[in-house]
Amino acid sequence: HEAFATFRFDLASQALYEFTWNQFCDWYLELTKPVLFKGSDAQQRGTRKTLVDTLETLLRLMHPLMPFITETIWQRVVPLTTFNAQGDSIMTQAYPQYNASLVDQKTIDDLEWVKQFIIAIRNIRGEMDIAPSKPLPGFLKNTSEQDKRRVAENTNFISALAKLESIDLLAQNE
């Protein structure tokens, strides 16, 4: 909103580009794969709903910068969402508003930890020339209680995206 208010369309488009490609497409789509392939019916429905609703919101955010393509895609996406469209064009829809009450900093921090963990495993694979498809055992040492909780809560995501066959928490002297 600040970028638009100050006519810094370059900053607005950069922020949208960064979020769309580096967060939504790179990470969120990757993190949904374990749920979409192996989750329960309710988890799969919820995940698909979140994916489509987020895409619809992204289209409304991008519309001032990319009006024709966002209109075309929005026409196909909005029937799949729970968004209560006012009219038959993206141009007549409310611009998304930031709601600070929906921000869960603990979840954001946990997800950033998971992402850094996966990136570290992928970097080690690259440096040691280990195929991304080869399952590996994972070992964590010097873990805090918070790290242990994060591993326990996100084992499915970490195992699937880092291609780990196991994750073992080592004691201090192991």
Side-chain angles (χ1 to χ4, degrees):
H1 288 284
E2 181 182 330
F4 280 127
T6 57
F7 301 102
R8 290 302 310 265
F9 304 118
D10 59 325
L11 296 178
S13 56
Q14 183 60 41
L16 284 168
Y17 177 88
E18 200 289 324
F19 177 79
T20 301
W21 289 111
N22 299 333
Q23 299 302 320
F24 183 67
C25 292
D26 278 358
W27 283 105
Y28 188 71
L29 290 176
E30 282 293 311
L31 288 166
T32 62
K33 287 178 182 178
V35 176
L36 291 174
F37 295 138
K38 295 180 182 174
S40 68
D41 284 344
Q43 290 171 327
Q44 290 176 0
R45 277 193 310 275
T47 301
R48 283 191 297 267
K49 178 193 176 309
T50 302
L51 277 169
V52 172
D53 287 351
T54 303
L55 176 59
E56 189 280 330
T57 303
L58 277 171
L59 291 169
R60 285 187 287 133
L61 283 168
M62 289 186 260
H63 185 69
L65 301 167
M66 307 169 50
F68 301 107
I69 187 81
T70 54
E71 178 72 42
T72 301
I73 298 170
W74 187 83
Q75 291 295 328
R76 291 180 179 235
V77 169
V78 80
L80 305 172
T81 69
T82 56
F83 179 67
N84 186 17
Q86 305 297 317
D88 61 352
S89 173
I90 195 173
M91 291 186 300
T92 60
Q93 308 313 309
Y95 195 75
Q97 298 296 313
Y98 175 73
N99 184 348
S101 69
L102 297 176
V103 175
D104 182 349
Q105 193 59 48
K106 178 184 161 293
T107 301
I108 292 170
D109 294 342
D110 288 351
L111 185 57
E112 285 303 315
W113 185 91
V114 168
K115 287 165 47 177
Q116 291 307 311
F117 185 92
I118 292 167
I119 288 169
I121 297 295
R122 289 177 177 176
N123 287 344
I124 291 168
R125 284 178 178 279
E127 290 169 7
M128 299 187 74
D129 199 27
I130 300 171
S133 60
K134 180 179 170 68
L136 298 174
F139 299 97
L140 287 167
K141 188 174 179 178
N142 300 326
T143 55
S144 67
E145 289 304 312
Q146 189 174 41
D147 293 339
K148 291 174 186 175
R149 177 188 58 78
R150 287 171 170 163
V151 168
E153 291 175 359
N154 297 288
T155 298
N156 291 342
F157 295 117
I158 294 169
S159 296
L161 297 177
K163 197 67 170 176
L164 297 177
E165 60 189 13
S166 63
I167 303 173
D168 295 315
L169 303 174
L170 302 177
Q172 196 66 24
N173 59 352
E174 288 185 272

